[in-house]
Amino acid sequence: MKKRSVLLVAATSATLIAYAQSTRTIAVLVPAFTSPFHVAIRDGASDFAKGLGWNVETPAPVKEGDFAEQANTLEQLIQKKVSAISVNPINPAALTGSIKKANTAGIPVFVHNGLTPLEDKNAKVVEYVGYNQWKGGVQAGEYAAKLLNGKGKVFILDGIPGFHSNRRAGGFKAALAKYPGITVVGETPADWEREKAVNVATAALQKDPDIKLFYGVSDEMAIGAGIAARRLGKDVFTIGIDGNDVTLDLIAKGEVTATLGVYPRKMGEVVVSQMQKVLSGQKVPQYLETPSIIVNKTNLAQYRAGKTWKAPRAGKAEVDNGKP
């Protein structure tokens, strides 16, 4: 073969390799699309991936409580031989077997929306990307104490039992412990769902009409509490966690008091950016902490415009131990 032909073959091979890398298929697996939070994660990840020329798979179970379906979906992605997977676990223990299969297949696994490591150390995660949920709960608790001037009754709406609820509610209660005039009169799961939160908050207000503030460990549950209060003619504060667009609209209308904004769309973008680094051979921190901020009417426009965003930084594991 002539030298020119050899060079042409080499150049063609390099071009094909570069093309294959530029058209990777990645996956972002969320618990379900019942919450606008997970929709925003998907949209942020998808748009960023498309900007790289990548394909992105974004499947999800129908309901957030379907642990088995999330594991099955993860295994289907492994069979498709995607280049990388990021998952927001509903129940981490239910996913460890599937994550080990991804490890065996050589597919990098990321976990987003949380810094709490998997208990099974044999299930390898390249990087955890998310905000510190205990700190977020503390931020919400301090803001609640400010709204109440240090005195009043509070009710907590938990999600599906697990580390997400534990950390967000735990930090909130730790913050309120410094205010003896504030009493948590109830804490009940509403499974991350708006309608369930409406029912739980309605029952709570009927039992104790003096409740002054509802804290939902997700926006959808805070929205549900606000709906319940308005139906009963009660004036209460409502605080959630997520910073979803629908919640921001309701804050503007005065139907939700505040949310812990955790930039879900930006989080989705960061996940794909970190995948790009890993797939190009770069090292990343095992824990990447994204920012969070209380959003109310005073800083709503700035949050929406992205002016409050701060670059993620290397963090540390957030262990589900009932402590900071």
Side-chain angles (χ1 to χ4, degrees):
M1 184 180 290
K2 294 182 179 180
K3 185 175 181 180
R4 181 177 177 183
S5 299
V6 172
L7 291 174
L8 181 60
V9 170
T12 302
S13 298
T15 300
L16 289 172
I17 291 170
Y19 177 77
Q21 290 177 340
S22 69
T23 56
R24 293 184 184 276
T25 295
I26 61 167
V28 177
L29 178 56
V30 304
F33 291 126
T34 51
S35 168
F37 176 84
H38 300 306
V39 174
I41 289 276
R42 177 199 66 193
D43 292 347
S46 296
D47 288 349
F48 194 91
K50 289 173 184 175
L52 298 174
W54 291 2
N55 300 314
V56 57
E57 298 267 353
T58 57
V62 175
K63 295 183 179 180
E64 289 203 24
D66 197 339
F67 309 147
E69 181 59 25
Q70 191 176 43
N72 290 337
T73 303
L74 179 52
E75 295 193 13
Q76 289 169 9
L77 293 169
I78 295 168
Q79 292 170 6
K80 289 183 177 181
K81 298 180 181 180
V82 296
S83 296
I85 299 171
S86 186
V87 59
N88 181 174
I90 306 169
N91 179 342
L95 282 185
T96 52
S98 302
I99 290 173
K100 289 176 184 178
K101 291 180 181 179
N103 297 156
T104 300
I107 300 172
V109 176
F110 296 73
V111 167
H112 65 267
N113 192 33
L115 301 172
T116 301
L118 301 178
E119 290 186 9
D120 189 336
K121 303 305 178 186
N122 293 317
K124 305 298 183 183
V125 173
V126 173
E127 187 174 42
Y128 295 84
V129 179
Y131 67 101
N132 184 296
Q133 298 184 83
W134 183 279
K135 289 180 184 177
V138 169
Q139 288 174 274
E142 291 289 354
Y143 185 67
K146 181 179 178 180
L147 289 172
L148 295 170
N149 292 316
K151 186 182 299 183
K153 294 182 178 181
V154 172
F155 194 98
I156 299 172
L157 297 161
D158 288 328
I160 293 171
F163 73 98
H164 290 295
S165 279
N166 295 345
R167 301 302 292 171
R168 298 176 195 185
F172 182 79
K173 288 182 284 189
L176 293 188
K178 297 183 293 183
Y179 301 91
I182 297 177
T183 305
V184 177
V185 296
E187 181 176 4
T188 302
D191 299 347
W192 310 114
E193 296 180 12
R194 184 184 301 190
E195 286 305 315
K196 286 190 178 181
V198 171
N199 295 334
V200 172
T202 297
L205 283 168
Q206 289 172 337
K207 181 180 178 180
D208 191 342
D210 293 328
I211 293 171
K212 297 300 181 186
L213 184 144
F214 282 91
Y215 168 59
V217 301
S218 76
D219 276 355
E220 284 295 286
M221 295 187 292
I223 292 170
I227 292 170
R230 287 191 296 277
R231 287 178 180 174
L232 295 172
K234 303 295 295 183
D235 186 15
V236 301
F237 296 113
T238 50
I239 302 174
I241 286 184
D242 284 333
N244 298 325
D245 285 342
V246 64
T247 312
L248 303 181
D249 290 340
L250 294 174
I251 289 173
K253 294 178 181 178
E255 295 181 10
V256 171
T257 307
T259 181
L260 183 79
V262 301
Y263 308 90
R265 186 179 181 90
K266 292 290 291 183
M267 193 185 296
E269 294 176 4
V270 169
V271 166
V272 179
S273 175
Q274 295 304 103
M275 285 181 175
Q276 182 188 29
K277 291 176 184 177
V278 169
L279 292 172
S280 64
Q282 298 181 49
K283 290 185 178 180
V284 296
Q286 188 165 23
Y287 300 95
L288 187 68
E289 185 173 338
T290 54
S292 61
I293 184 174
I294 292 292
V295 181
N296 56 27
K297 282 187 175 182
T298 64
N299 64 347
L300 179 60
Q302 291 88 342
Y303 178 82
R304 278 186 146 152
K307 294 181 179 179
T308 58
W309 169 257
K310 295 181 180 179
R313 60 184 184 181
K316 60 181 182 179
E318 182 183 3
V319 182
D320 188 14
N321 59 2
K323 300 176 183 179

